[in-house]
Amino acid sequence: MKKQWTLTQDFLKGFWEQNPIFVQVLGMCPTLAVTVSAINGIAMALATTFVLVCASLLISMIRKLIPTQVRIASFIVVIATFVTIVDLVMQARFPGLSKALGPFVPLIVVNCLVLGRQEAFASKNNPLRSVLDALGMGIGFLMALFVLGSIRELLASRTILGYQVLPDAFTPWLVMILPAGAFLTLGLLMGTANWNAMRQKRNAEQAVLDRYRKTTASSV
Amino acid sequence: MPEEITETPQIKNRLELTTSPHLHNNWSTPRAMWMVGAALLPCTAAALVFFGWTQIFILLTSILCAVGTEALIQKLRKQPGTAGDGSAVLTGWLLALTLPPGFSLVSTGIGAVVAVGIGKHIFGGLGYNIFNPALVGRAFLQAAFPVAMTTWESPNFVDTVTSATPLGALKFDAVTSSLAPMFFGNTGGSLGETSALALLAGGIFLIAIGIVNWRIPAAMTIGALVFGTPVWLMNVQQYPSPVYHLLGGGFLLGALFMATDWVSSPVTNRGMWIFGLGISLIVVVIRVFGGLPEGMMYAILIMNAFVPMIDRFTRPRVFGAVA
């Protein structure tokens, strides 16, 4: 039997437990390419979240009308519609940001995070749950991209969101704005997250064992 | 008896079963590492002579940070400490020898931490690393601080403040350096790479006592001659001669101390030939056609990545098996 999720769990699972970046490893292309600075990361994550929420809402509403054979194509059409909206709005209102993100805004269409949530969640659940799930995933994505962008911006140009944090004596690490810096930072963050998860699991197992030992000792 | 489930078996690792032949070898990791250290003494001495005794601080910083990182990571991972076996010392030492003279000590420390942390322990520690840790550290520094990594102080016996390396001078200014200073070491370059004489002395010692397999340096030398000569003959003025390839840049340091790293080089004899030839082919291609004057580091790192494949395809046939 499948585990029953409450609404809160649907919302919160994207934050950490099923974080799109650190746990599901989805949407790597924008993650690695645009996180040169924290602001780029935030803009990318907000654009993706908007598309994700709108597409999840629409697809969960029409999920019973879509034939299974053509569902992927239908998802893409819906997603592409919202991506076009985001792209045009960004070009009109934030031309600088739009230029900085370059082709990665149109590429949200093929972001596997967006498509993955439609396939795995929105096409099987009601609109309320789907929107909560999409919001949670979007916030998880935002947090991950912000952390990644901040670390890279901090080490490559001493600033976070344009405010200088490190003193001038710090020599900037040029590698951090290169692709290699993105891979290194992401890898180390994922490793830390996994290490933490493993430690928690081990502690939990140890706690169960301790309790077991105590009960057997007292019953003997 | 429910307690039994909670107890971990204590005698599990006491008895080691291995198949014959049971050969004993008196080589241990620390002993091999200290021997390599001894072989590095001549070129370290040459570095201090040509670039000034203050360069010893780069060496000390690098070694200290490398050993410190190793000890810290093993403490965090609750592994038995191997910080004292000399492998981390050697990583730091080799890293320092590949750095330009007068390099910032803070950056040196960062490089050593990356070398041991990302080059070695991310993969599981000594014996598990795919890439040569010292070169991973250097590659990181090259990407992080490209300007500082290519600013070469002149050696003590030349009357200028900075000078290009022989390979850089040839590539960017079409100036051919004479071979004698390149052989003895009185020329621009990284700390440990300038004196071919000192490197050869250490390398031949290592080959003689059997730590370094002669096939890799031999294959690399032959490769440099085979691949370098035709290119040189195409345009004698513009391209480095084969001897220039051998003496210039980090070729000898790489051939004798980096490519021959036990962990990240092939195990079969045929594999070693392929590995060495591959490195020299990439070096010649980078030096002649690439944007950088020197490519030893990238050549070794690229071939390191091929080592599992080389080992797989050069595996000796099992005795008696039909091909």
Side-chain angles (χ1 to χ4, degrees), chain B residues 29 35 75 78 83 98 108 113 147 161 168 174 207-208 248 253 290 296 305 307 321:
Chain B
T29 308
M35 282 296 179
K75 192 152 185 260
K78 301 190 178 72
T98 64
T108 307
V113 171
V147 178
V161 181
I207 291 173
L253 183 63
M296 201 60 208
V307 164

Side-chain angles (χ1 to χ4, degrees), chain A residues 194-205, chain B residues 78:
Chain A
N194 281 343
W195 185 52
N196 197 33
M198 267 159 60
R199 214 177 46 177
Q200 275 176 359
K201 203 174 146 197
R202 206 169 48 227
N203 286 349
E205 277 170 4
Chain B
K78 301 190 178 72

Side-chain angles (χ1 to χ4, degrees), chain A residues 143-199:
Chain A
M143 290 193 301
L145 258 64
F146 177 70
V147 170
L148 203 56
S150 304
I151 294 175
R152 290 181 67 191
E153 190 183 337
L154 183 69
L155 294 177
S157 45
R158 311 187 192 106
T159 58
I160 290 182
L161 290 171
Y163 297 103
Q164 183 156 357
V165 178
L166 290 174
D168 283 335
F170 180 83
T171 324
W173 301 10
L174 201 70
V175 67
M176 280 301 160
I177 51 170
L178 302 174
F183 280 106
L184 275 179
T185 318
L186 180 67
L188 288 177
L189 282 176
M190 272 170 139
T192 318
N194 281 343
W195 185 52
N196 197 33
M198 267 159 60
R199 214 177 46 177

Side-chain angles (χ1 to χ4, degrees), chain A residues 171-175 184 212-213 216, chain B residues 2 6 110 118 140 143-146:
Chain A
T171 324
W173 301 10
L174 201 70
V175 67
L184 275 179
Y212 178 64
R213 226 174 249 159
T216 48
Chain B
T6 63
I110 295 170
I118 293 180
F140 182 85
F145 314 108

Side-chain angles (χ1 to χ4, degrees), chain B residues 197-223:
Chain B
L197 180 68
L199 285 166
L200 280 175
I204 289 169
F205 166 69
L206 284 185
I207 291 173
I209 60 172
I211 288 188
V212 161
N213 193 312
W214 59 273
R215 286 176 187 85
I216 293 174
M220 285 174 66
T221 311
I222 293 170

Side-chain angles (χ1 to χ4, degrees), chain A:
Chain A
M1 277 306 284
K2 245 171 75 178
K3 202 166 138 193
Q4 281 295 317
W5 294 83
T6 65
L7 290 177
T8 353
Q9 276 174 331
D10 273 338
F11 179 58
L12 288 178
K13 69 176 185 292
F15 284 34
W16 185 253
E17 203 180 326
Q18 290 190 20
N19 187 294
I21 300 295
F22 297 131
V23 180
Q24 301 192 69
V25 202
L26 289 175
M28 284 295 109
C29 167
T31 307
L32 293 167
V34 304
T35 51
V36 186
S37 64
I39 191 74
N40 282 6
I42 292 177
M44 185 70 213
L46 287 180
T48 312
T49 308
F50 171 78
V51 174
L52 187 57
V53 171
C54 294
S56 286
L57 178 64
L58 195 61
I59 283 171
S60 61
M61 286 198 295
I62 59 169
R63 66 181 190 277
K64 303 217 169 93
L65 304 177
I66 303 176
T68 335
Q69 292 88 340
V70 294
R71 65 184 194 286
I72 301 284
S74 319
F75 296 161
I76 292 287
V77 171
V78 172
I79 295 166
T81 314
F82 290 110
V83 171
T84 313
I85 296 173
V86 169
D87 193 21
L88 292 179
V89 168
M90 279 181 89
Q91 278 177 24
R93 304 304 296 250
F94 313 101
L97 212 52
S98 174
K99 204 165 273 171
L101 295 182
F104 291 102
V105 176
L107 278 177
I108 297 175
V109 177
V110 287
N111 189 322
C112 45
L113 168 61
V114 182
L115 188 62
R117 288 332 286 173
Q118 311 314 322
E119 170 77 9
F121 202 89
S123 60
K124 293 173 192 150
N125 288 285
N126 63 33
L128 177 62
R129 277 179 185 273
S130 302
V131 168
L132 282 177
D133 170 76
L135 266 179
M137 288 294 159
I139 293 172
F141 193 58
L142 177 72
M143 290 193 301
L145 258 64
F146 177 70
V147 170
L148 203 56
S150 304
I151 294 175
R152 290 181 67 191
E153 190 183 337
L154 183 69
L155 294 177
S157 45
R158 311 187 192 106
T159 58
I160 290 182
L161 290 171
Y163 297 103
Q164 183 156 357
V165 178
L166 290 174
D168 283 335
F170 180 83
T171 324
W173 301 10
L174 201 70
V175 67
M176 280 301 160
I177 51 170
L178 302 174
F183 280 106
L184 275 179
T185 318
L186 180 67
L188 288 177
L189 282 176
M190 272 170 139
T192 318
N194 281 343
W195 185 52
N196 197 33
M198 267 159 60
R199 214 177 46 177
Q200 275 176 359
K201 203 174 146 197
R202 206 169 48 227
N203 286 349
E205 277 170 4
Q206 195 58 46
V208 169
L209 274 183
D210 285 347
R211 214 166 50 217
Y212 178 64
R213 226 174 249 159
K214 220 175 274 169
T215 48
T216 48
S218 60
S219 66
V220 167

Side-chain angles (χ1 to χ4, degrees), chain B residues 191-203:
Chain B
L191 282 175
E193 73 182 18
T194 55
S195 173
L197 180 68
L199 285 166
L200 280 175

